[in-house]
């Protein structure tokens, strides 16, 4: 076929004239294999084209063509001539569908129809241009990235201009540093590359992009085709990438796109509007506001507010009917209880109902809330707070802005939420998304493959395997295994040098580089010499392209071709037992996934702190340090903000959140007491005309007895407290109100200034946080069991009910005996232990109350001992009280204990230890506090006593521990400055028992190793607990979850 060299070169030059900085030609980018199987046009379309010789080109030709494939042909356009070719052969568009680059999921991609004329010559010319563009774009993309990561060349780029490589900025700004002679060199080099083998020689040979330098080749035709397809795909991606880099570089003046420099950004047109909140700022990814049209912006804001308000109502409409519905009928033929929740409700909507909804919306839009251009978006003359017509309005000022911002944010969240609800409802046919009904789920495509383990099952949240393509799945599995293996090695590489030390001697003699000189973590990259990188790349290539069990098998993907991803002949994890082998391979996958997460975390903390083990003391920009001197910052946690809510350092926002935290904590403390007190005492009389206090159940069930007027009273009371009684004052500390006294008593006594005030306020915060956790736990057990105190006997779905007939055997734990003390079945021993447990529990409950009561209600008036002149007020709370008990007091205590142990109140003639055990009723000493004529009620109360006693034993141990360490009944950890046991502690070197494994003459190095030991120990504690847990549940050291047949996750299968 004749080829117009002038035309080909001119087009190529015009396309590639902007990128001539490459030093080498070709491309070695290889990615996913193509699923196309038909032969390429290079081999099938003749049309008079001469076939290229298959002999190897000369070394000179190799060099020339190698340089030629990476540059443009701007100079060649002036150096070549030729006649106009004969009319090109015409074929249909379908003829190009079998070409290279036609890959799923797009297929043959030609949205502009450039190939619709079927001109083979034009197609080949365009393919040649595309390949050149792609190759240069790949090099250019790497040219953007490499200087940022690996640094720049040493020395001079131009000695005559006194221009160092390090003086050349990255990105487009480098153009300003290229001298005139440099541009001449670039142009000449481009021209030489283009014409050295003959302009258009690749097109003339029928093989676009083939310039005789065979980097991507293979004797296997399919492998070769896969590599060439990968080059095309990567080149296309690189063209998109480099355009994006040019774009952000040109806009921001920064190679990596520092958008803070882009002051003309359309995203800043409305930066002072409502809804512009951290961390996103003004969010307009589609650039809808880039024209700066205020009228259009206002219209869109109105629409956003309406959609958000409707979405908030719709979201509540999904949730509320799951808990409560209107009584009676929605229409003549349909009751509210018959209407399904979610999208299915539309099936019950009568035409008249749809018409009512439509007319109501029209009425609201047209008459009730009329749009007024003089008012802010969403602000209507007769619209009050929460959209109540003619209701109260928001006051002007910062509080108004804050509330309107909250509405916008909540509306946006609700729009996302309702879309998600619609999505899962539509897919599963269930309002709450019962995914077991979604039989078409792409997550079920490979449910029987390795790595599908409980509790997650087949994990593919992005739906990468939804097409069911087994070849693609195997390729991804091979990649996952490689990544996992490297990550496991990398994670060990972080830990091992910290523990065992480094290799002796030199890593590189020529560089005089010792192993000991190489820092651990990311810092090691700076020490790897060029030859080292070549060795690493060479070794990786060897691993990728060979098999240990078949050295003749050379080429990438041998494991995939054999249908065994990750199998390269190196049989470390294997077994003659197929089940055992699968278990090991599953463990490798699971550990690899964990290691990938771990190494990313290690990189993250290393990058932030500059320390391989993440010495956070170096991370001075940490958001956790923004408010380190505020109230609530107490040892051992310090300032606790795991979500980084305070990372912006906004004192106003912090203060608002602290106010909210205090309110929530105070309410939670009251709510917790509200759960406990009614179990022991209630108000006499009636709560309302028809309901007495005694008829109101405790816990969540109380809502069923709450009349509408009562709910209104509560709502109004909360509003009164918030609006009038305790007004927010910016000049006062969070939670501190002008007329609020101790414990919130209006106009009561106030806390004195000084350290005691700070200590009490810190205690309030800590107790409030604890109460929030407590009340959530109470809600949880109440919701599961239907009982305020969590009668787990009602929780019939619990998988942990092993011995339901025993007293104290309560869900979710069941019969709790981890040490196997009762395994001998000795009933007498069991009863003795139960009696002891009850005694301990009762004393612990009294002791726990004894710690709390003096702090809240104060102490008894008068004297504890007249003879000792000892007043109750003189006795400190907690363990410190022991020092004040006189000898006679100890005798009284011991005598009272002996009396309780050896007598019964209901039978004074019964003397001797163990009367309760002898009667077969452990803990029963005749003092009937918890009793009932109803056996079931009696058992319930006794079970509650056991559970509360167990909790109290844990509580009092914790109280003793913190009291003993800090010398304060409530555990003021600021007092914990000294230790009293252990030679290592006395020496001021905890953990140092003279066995110097981790040591160094360098104090900094020693500290680093000891820090590493601590960090590894913490990690190991977490790891071993997890191993114990899975071993205990499954009976397998590596946790074969298939053995865990009692898993609650299998209940529905």
């Amino acid at each position: 076929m004749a080829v117009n060299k002038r035309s080909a070169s001119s087009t190529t030059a015009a396309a590639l004239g902007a990128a001539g900085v490459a030093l080498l030609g070709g491309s070695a980018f290889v990615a996913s294999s193509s699923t196309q199987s038909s032969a390429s046009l290079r081999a099938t379309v003749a049309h008079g084209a001469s076939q290229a010789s298959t002999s190897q080109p000369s070394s000179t030709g190799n060099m020339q063509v190698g340089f030629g494939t990476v540059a443009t042909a701007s100079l060649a356009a002036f150096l070549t001539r030729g006649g106009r070719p004969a009319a090109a052969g015409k074929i249909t568009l379908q003829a190009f569908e079998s070409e290279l680059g036609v890959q799923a999921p797009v297929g043959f991609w030609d949205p502009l129809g450039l190939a619709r004329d079927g001109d083979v010559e034009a197609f080949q010319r365009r393919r040649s241009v595309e390949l050149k563009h792609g190759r240069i774009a790949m090099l250019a993309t790497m040219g953007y990235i490499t200087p940022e990561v690996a640094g720049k060349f040493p020395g001079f780029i131009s000695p005559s201009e006194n221009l160092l490589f390090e003086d050349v900025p990255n990105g487009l700004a480098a153009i300003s540093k290229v001298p005139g002679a440099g541009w001449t060199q670039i142009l000449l080099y481009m021209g030489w590359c283009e014409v050295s083998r003959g302009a258009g020689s690749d097109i003339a040979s029928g093989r676009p992009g083939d310039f005789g330098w065979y980097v991507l080749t293979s004797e296997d035709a399919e492998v070769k085709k896969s590599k060439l397809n990968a080059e095309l795909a990567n080149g296309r991606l690189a063209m998109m990438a480099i355009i994006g880099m040019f774009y952000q570089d040109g806009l921001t003046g920064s190679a990596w796109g520092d958008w803070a420099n882009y002051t003309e950004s359309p995203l800043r047109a409305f930066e002072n509007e409502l809804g512009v909140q951290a961390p996103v700022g003004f969010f307009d990814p589609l650039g809808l506001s880039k024209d700066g049209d205020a009228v259009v912006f206002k219209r869109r804001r109105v629409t956003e507010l309406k959609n958000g308000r409707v979405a908030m109502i719709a979201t509540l409409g999904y949730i509320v009917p799951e808990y409560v519905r209107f009584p009676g009928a929605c229409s003549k033929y349909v009751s509210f209880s018959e209407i399904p929740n979610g999208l299915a409700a539309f099936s019950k909507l009568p035409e008249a109902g749809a018409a009512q909804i439509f007319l109501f919306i029209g009425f609201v839009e047209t008459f009730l809330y009329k749009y007024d251009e003089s008012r802010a978006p969403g602000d209507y003359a007769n619209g009050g707070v929460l959209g109540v017509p003619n209701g109260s309005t928001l006051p002007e000022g910062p509080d108004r802005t804050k509330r309107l911002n909250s509405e916008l944010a909540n509306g946006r969240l609700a729009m996302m939420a309702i879309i998600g609800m619609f999505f899962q409802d539509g897919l599963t046919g269930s309002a709450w998304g019962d995914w077991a009904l979604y039989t078409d789920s792409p997550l079920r495509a490979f449910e029987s493959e390795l790595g599908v383990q409980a509790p997650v099952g087949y994990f593919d949240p992005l739906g990468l395997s939804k097409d069911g393509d087994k070849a693609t799945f195997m390729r991804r599995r091979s990649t996952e295994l490689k990544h996992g293996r490297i990550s496991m090695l990398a994670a060990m590489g972080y830990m091992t040098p910290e523990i065992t030390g480094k290799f002796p001697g030199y890593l590189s003699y020529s560089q005089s580089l010792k192993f000991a000189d190489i820092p651990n973590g990311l810092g090691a990259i700076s020490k790897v010499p060029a030859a080292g990188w070549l060795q690493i790349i060479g070794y990786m290539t060897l691993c990728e392209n060979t098999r240990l069990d078949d050295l003749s098998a050379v080429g990438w993907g041998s494991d995939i071709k054999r249908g065994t991803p990750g199998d390269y002949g190196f049989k470390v994890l294997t077994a003659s037992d197929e089940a055992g082998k699968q278990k090991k391979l599953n463990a490798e996958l699971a550990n690899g996934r964990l290691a990938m997460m771990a190494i990313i975390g290690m990189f993250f903390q290393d990058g932030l702190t500059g320390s391989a083990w993440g010495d956070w003391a170096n991370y001075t920009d940490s958001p956790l340090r923004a408010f380190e001197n505020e109230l609530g910052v107490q040892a051992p946690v310090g300032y606790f903000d795991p979500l980084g809510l305070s990372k912006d350092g906004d004192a106003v926002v912090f203060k608002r959140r602290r106010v909210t935290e205090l309110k929530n904590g105070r309410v939670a403390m009251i709510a917790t007491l509200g759960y406990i007190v009614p179990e022991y005492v209630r108000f006499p009389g009636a709560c309302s005309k028809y309901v007495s206090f005694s008829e109101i159940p405790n816990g969540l069930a109380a809502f069923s007895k709450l009349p509408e007027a009562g709910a209104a009273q509560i709502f109004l009371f909360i509003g009164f407290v918030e609006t009038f009684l305790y007004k927010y004052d910016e000049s006062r500390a969070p939670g501190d109100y002008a007329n609020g006294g101790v414990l919130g008593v209006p106009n009561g006594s106030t806390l004195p200034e000084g350290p005691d005030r700070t200590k009490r306020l810190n205690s309030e915060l800590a107790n409030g946080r604890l109460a929030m956790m407590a009340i959530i736990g109470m809600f949880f057990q109440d919701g599961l069991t239907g009982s305020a105190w969590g009668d787990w006997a009602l929780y019939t779905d619990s998988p942990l009910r092993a011995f339901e007939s025993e007293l104290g055997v309560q869900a979710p734990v069941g019969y709790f005996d981890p040490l196997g003390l009762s395994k001998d079945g000795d009933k007498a021993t069991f009863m003795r232990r139960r009696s002891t447990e009850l005694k301990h529990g009762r004393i612990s409950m009294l002791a726990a109350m004894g710690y709390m009561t003096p702090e809240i209600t104060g102490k008894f008036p008068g004297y504890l001992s007249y003879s000792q002149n000892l007043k109750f007020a003189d006795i400190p709370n907690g363990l410190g009280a022991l020092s004040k008990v006189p000898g006679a007091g100890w005798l009284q205590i011991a005598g009272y204990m002996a009396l309780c142990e050896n007598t019964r109140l209901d039978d004074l003639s019964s003397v001797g230890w163990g009367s309760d055990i002898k009667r077969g009723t452990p803990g029963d000493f005749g003092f009937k506090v918890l009793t009932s004529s109803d056996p079931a009620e009696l058992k319930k109360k006794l079970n509650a006593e056991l559970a509360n006693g167990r909790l109290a034993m844990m509580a009092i141990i914790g109280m003793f521990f913190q009291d003993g360490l800090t010398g304060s009944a409530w555990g003021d950890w600021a007092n914990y400055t000294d230790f009293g046991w252990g030679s290592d502690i006395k020496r001021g070197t905890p953990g140092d028992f003279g066995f110097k494994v981790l040591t160094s003459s360098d104090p900094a190095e020693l500290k680093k190793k000891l820090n590493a030991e601590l960090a590894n120990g913490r990690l190991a504690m977490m790891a071993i607990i997890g191993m114990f847990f899975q071993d205990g549940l499954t009976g397998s050291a590596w946790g074969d979850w298939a053995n865990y047949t009692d898993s609650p996750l299998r209940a529905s299968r």
Side-chain angles (χ1 to χ4, degrees):
M1 178 187 296
V3 177
N4 188 337
K5 295 183 179 180
R6 179 188 297 272
S7 174
S9 297
S10 299
T11 304
T12 306
L16 300 178
V21 295
L23 299 178
L24 294 173
S27 170
F29 287 79
V30 178
S32 60
S33 61
S34 170
T35 58
Q36 304 296 327
S37 60
S38 54
S40 71
L41 186 64
R42 304 175 190 183
T44 61
V45 181
H47 290 284
S50 61
Q51 298 298 316
S53 171
T54 59
S55 63
Q56 292 294 331
S58 67
S59 60
T60 303
N62 269 334
M63 184 181 300
Q64 291 173 341
V65 176
F67 287 123
T69 56
V70 295
T72 65
S74 57
L75 186 62
F78 302 97
L79 300 178
T80 59
R81 297 181 181 179
R84 188 175 184 82
K90 304 292 184 181
I91 60 176
T92 62
L93 184 61
Q94 285 80 359
F96 299 115
E97 287 187 340
S98 60
E99 280 301 306
L100 278 175
V102 181
Q103 304 176 70
V106 175
F108 182 68
W109 173 249
D110 183 19
L112 299 179
L114 298 177
R116 64 187 171 192
D117 56 5
D119 189 328
V120 175
E121 181 187 354
F123 175 81
Q124 289 188 335
R125 177 174 56 76
R126 290 189 179 110
R127 173 51 52 80
S128 177
V129 173
E130 180 183 23
L131 282 164
K132 291 176 182 176
H133 282 167
R135 290 165 180 170
I136 289 186
M138 286 188 277
L139 290 168
T141 303
M142 291 301 296
Y144 254 83
I145 299 170
T146 304
E148 295 287 336
V149 179
K152 301 178 182 180
F153 289 116
F156 288 88
I157 185 175
S158 174
S160 62
E161 299 283 338
N162 195 32
L163 184 63
L164 296 168
F165 279 102
E166 64 183 28
D167 295 333
V168 180
N170 198 8
L172 295 176
I175 296 174
S176 64
K177 296 291 186 178
V178 181
W183 285 115
T184 301
Q185 288 173 344
I186 292 171
L187 289 172
L188 290 173
Y189 177 67
M190 289 162 57
W192 179 77
C193 289
E194 191 65 47
V195 303
S196 59
R197 196 171 183 256
S201 61
D202 58 324
I203 302 173
S205 66
R207 294 194 297 272
D210 179 2
F211 295 95
W213 196 50
Y214 296 106
V215 176
L216 300 177
T217 189
S218 174
E219 295 178 358
D220 185 337
E222 283 301 315
V223 173
K224 179 178 178 181
K225 185 177 181 180
S226 168
K227 291 182 177 181
L228 294 175
N229 268 328
E231 180 190 27
L232 260 176
N234 288 335
R236 291 166 178 170
L237 180 62
M239 285 188 277
M240 295 297 291
I242 198 64
I243 290 297
M245 290 174 171
F246 287 161
Y247 181 77
Q248 68 178 12
D249 192 349
L251 282 179
T252 67
S254 166
W256 283 97
D258 184 353
W259 292 100
N261 299 334
Y262 184 29
T263 55
E264 296 176 358
S265 170
L267 301 177
R268 296 182 171 181
F270 301 95
E271 281 189 332
N272 298 319
E273 290 292 326
L274 277 175
V276 181
Q277 303 175 70
V280 176
F282 182 68
F283 186 70
D284 182 16
L286 299 179
L288 299 176
S289 306
K290 64 185 177 185
D291 55 6
D293 190 328
V295 175
V296 175
F297 174 82
K298 196 171 182 180
R299 177 176 57 78
R300 288 192 177 117
R301 174 52 52 81
V302 169
T303 303
E304 180 184 25
L305 281 165
K306 290 178 181 176
N307 288 342
R309 290 164 179 171
V310 171
M312 285 188 278
I313 295 171
T315 303
L316 287 173
Y318 254 83
I319 299 170
V320 174
E322 294 289 330
Y323 298 97
V324 62
R325 294 176 181 241
F326 289 114
C330 175
S331 70
K332 185 177 180 180
Y333 305 104
V334 182
S335 66
F336 283 105
S337 61
E338 293 172 344
I339 300 176
N341 197 6
L343 297 175
F346 284 106
S347 64
K348 297 291 186 177
L349 182 65
E351 293 180 0
Q356 286 175 346
I357 293 171
F358 180 77
L359 292 173
F360 176 73
I361 294 172
F363 169 75
V364 172
E365 283 278 347
T366 309
F367 300 104
L368 185 60
Y369 295 144
K370 291 183 179 181
Y371 179 64
D372 184 350
E373 291 187 359
S374 65
R375 303 178 73 92
D379 181 16
Y380 301 96
N382 55 342
V385 177
L386 297 178
V388 178
N390 301 310
S392 62
T393 57
L394 294 175
E396 295 296 333
D399 188 61
R400 175 188 178 88
T401 303
K402 182 175 83 171
R403 294 193 187 185
L404 293 176
N405 270 328
S406 297
E407 181 190 30
L408 261 176
N410 291 336
R412 290 165 178 170
L413 182 62
M415 286 188 276
M416 295 297 290
I418 198 64
I419 290 297
M421 290 173 171
F422 287 159
F423 182 76
Q424 67 179 10
D425 192 349
L427 282 179
T428 67
S430 166
W432 281 96
D434 184 353
W435 292 100
L437 305 175
Y438 184 28
T439 54
D440 295 330
S441 171
L443 302 177
R444 296 182 173 180
F446 299 95
E447 283 187 332
S448 59
E449 289 293 326
L450 274 175
V452 181
Q453 304 175 72
V456 175
Y458 182 68
F459 186 70
D460 182 16
L462 299 179
L464 299 177
S465 306
K466 64 184 176 186
D467 55 6
D469 188 329
K470 189 172 182 180
T472 302
F473 173 81
M474 289 175 65
R475 178 176 58 77
R476 289 189 175 119
R477 172 52 53 79
S478 176
T479 303
E480 179 184 24
L481 282 164
K482 291 175 185 175
H483 286 167
R485 290 165 180 169
I486 289 177
S487 295
M488 286 189 278
L489 291 170
M492 291 299 296
Y494 254 83
M495 291 185 274
T496 304
E498 296 287 338
I499 300 171
T500 63
K502 301 176 182 179
F503 289 116
Y506 286 87
L507 171 64
S508 172
Y509 282 101
S510 61
Q511 301 283 333
S512 189
L513 184 63
K514 295 181 178 180
F515 283 103
D517 297 333
I518 299 177
N520 198 7
L522 296 176
I525 296 174
S526 64
K527 297 291 186 178
V528 180
W533 285 115
L534 289 176
Q535 289 174 343
I536 292 169
I537 293 171
Y539 179 69
M540 290 165 62
T541 304
L542 176 69
C543 293
E544 282 280 350
N545 291 278
T546 59
R547 293 183 60 85
L548 289 178
D549 59 346
D550 185 3
L551 297 178
S552 63
V554 179
W556 182 87
S558 62
D559 58 326
I560 300 173
K561 293 173 185 174
R562 293 174 181 238
T564 53
D567 180 4
Y568 296 94
F570 187 52
K571 310 287 188 182
V572 177
L573 300 176
T574 189
S576 56
D577 178 14
E578 192 62 32
K581 180 180 177 181
Q582 184 170 6
K583 176 182 170 184
K584 290 182 178 181
L585 294 175
N586 269 328
E588 180 190 29
L589 259 177
N591 290 336
R593 290 166 178 169
L594 181 63
M596 286 188 275
M597 296 297 291
I599 198 65
I600 290 296
M602 290 173 173
F603 287 160
F604 182 77
Q605 67 178 12
D606 192 348
L608 281 179
T609 68
S611 166
W613 280 99
D615 184 352
W616 292 100
N618 299 335
Y619 184 28
T620 54
D621 294 331
S622 171
L624 302 177
R625 296 182 171 182
F627 302 95
E628 282 187 333
N629 298 318
E630 290 292 326
L631 276 176
V633 181
Q634 304 176 69
V637 176
Y639 181 68
F640 186 69
D641 182 15
L643 298 179
L645 298 177
S646 306
K647 64 185 177 185
D648 55 6
D650 190 327
V652 175
V653 175
F654 173 82
K655 198 171 181 180
R656 177 175 58 79
R657 290 192 176 118
R658 174 51 53 81
V659 169
T660 304
E661 180 184 25
L662 281 165
K663 289 179 182 176
N664 288 343
R666 289 164 179 172
V667 171
M669 286 189 277
I670 294 171
T672 304
L673 287 173
Y675 254 83
I676 299 170
V677 174
E679 294 289 330
Y680 299 97
V681 62
R682 294 176 181 240
F683 289 113
C687 174
S688 70
K689 184 176 181 181
Y690 305 104
V691 182
S692 66
F693 283 105
S694 61
E695 293 173 342
I696 299 176
N698 197 6
L700 297 175
F703 284 106
S704 64
K705 297 291 186 177
L706 182 65
E708 293 180 1
Q713 287 175 347
I714 293 172
F715 181 78
L716 292 174
F717 175 74
I718 294 171
F720 169 75
V721 172
E722 283 276 347
T723 308
F724 301 104
L725 185 60
Y726 295 143
K727 290 184 179 181
Y728 178 65
D729 185 350
E730 291 187 359
S731 65
R732 304 179 72 91
D736 181 16
Y737 301 97
N739 55 341
V742 177
L743 296 179
V745 178
N747 301 310
S749 62
T750 57
L751 294 176
E753 295 296 332
D756 188 60
R757 174 188 177 88
T758 303
K759 177 180 172 183
R760 292 196 187 186
L761 292 176
N762 271 327
S763 296
E764 181 189 30
L765 261 176
N767 292 337
R769 290 165 179 169
L770 181 63
M772 286 188 275
M773 297 296 291
I775 198 65
I776 291 297
M778 290 173 171
F779 287 159
F780 182 77
Q781 68 179 11
D782 192 348
L784 280 179
T785 67
S787 167
W789 280 97
D791 185 351
W792 293 99
L794 304 176
Y795 183 28
T796 55
D797 295 330
S798 172
L800 303 172
R801 303 180 69 181
F803 303 94
E804 294 177 328
S805 58
E806 284 296 328
L807 192 64
V809 180
Q810 302 175 71
V813 176
Y815 182 66
F816 188 66
D817 183 17
L819 299 180
L821 298 177
S822 305
K823 62 184 178 184
D824 57 4
D826 188 329
K827 188 174 182 180
T829 302
F830 173 82
M831 290 176 65
R832 177 175 58 79
R833 289 189 176 120
R834 174 52 51 77
S835 176
T836 303
E837 179 184 25
L838 282 164
K839 291 175 184 175
H840 286 167
R842 289 165 180 169
I843 290 177
S844 295
M845 286 189 278
L846 291 168
M849 291 300 295
Y851 255 83
M852 291 184 278
T853 304
E855 293 286 333
I856 300 170
T857 62
K859 301 177 182 179
F860 290 112
Y863 286 87
L864 170 64
S865 172
Y866 281 101
S867 61
Q868 299 284 334
N869 193 30
L870 184 62
K871 295 181 180 179
F872 284 104
D874 298 332
I875 299 178
N877 198 6
L879 294 176
L882 298 179
S883 63
K884 297 290 187 178
V885 181
W890 285 115
L891 290 176
Q892 289 174 346
I893 292 171
Y896 179 71
M897 289 166 62
L899 176 69
C900 292
E901 282 281 352
N902 291 278
T903 59
R904 294 182 60 84
L905 290 179
D906 58 346
D907 185 2
L908 296 179
S909 64
S910 179
V911 179
W913 182 88
S915 63
D916 58 326
I917 299 173
K918 294 172 185 175
R919 292 173 180 244
T921 54
D924 181 4
F925 297 95
F927 186 58
K928 309 288 189 182
V929 177
L930 300 176
T931 188
S932 174
S933 58
D934 181 3
E937 182 67 15
L938 176 62
K939 184 176 181 180
K940 175 182 172 183
K941 290 184 176 182
L942 295 176
N943 268 327
E945 180 189 29
L946 257 176
N948 291 335
R950 291 165 178 169
L951 181 62
M953 285 188 277
M954 296 297 291
I956 198 63
I957 289 296
M959 290 173 174
F960 286 162
F961 182 78
Q962 67 179 10
D963 192 351
L965 284 178
T966 68
S968 166
W970 282 99
D972 186 351
W973 291 96
N975 299 334
Y976 184 33
T977 57
D978 202 0
F979 306 84
W981 66 92
S983 61
D984 56 328
I985 300 172
K986 292 174 181 176
R987 292 169 182 256
T989 54
D992 180 8
F993 298 96
F995 186 56
K996 310 281 191 184
V997 176
L998 301 177
T999 188
S1000 174
S1001 57
D1002 180 4
E1005 182 66 17
L1006 176 62
K1007 183 176 180 181
K1008 179 180 172 185
K1009 289 185 177 181
L1010 295 176
N1011 271 330
E1013 180 189 28
L1014 258 179
N1016 290 335
R1018 290 164 180 166
L1019 182 63
M1021 285 186 278
M1022 296 297 291
I1024 199 65
I1025 290 297
M1027 290 173 176
F1028 287 163
F1029 182 78
Q1030 67 179 10
D1031 194 350
L1033 283 178
T1034 67
S1036 165
W1038 280 100
D1040 186 350
W1041 292 98
N1043 298 336
Y1044 184 30
T1045 54
D1046 294 329
S1047 170
L1049 301 174
R1050 296 181 173 180
S1052 61
R1053 295 188 178 181

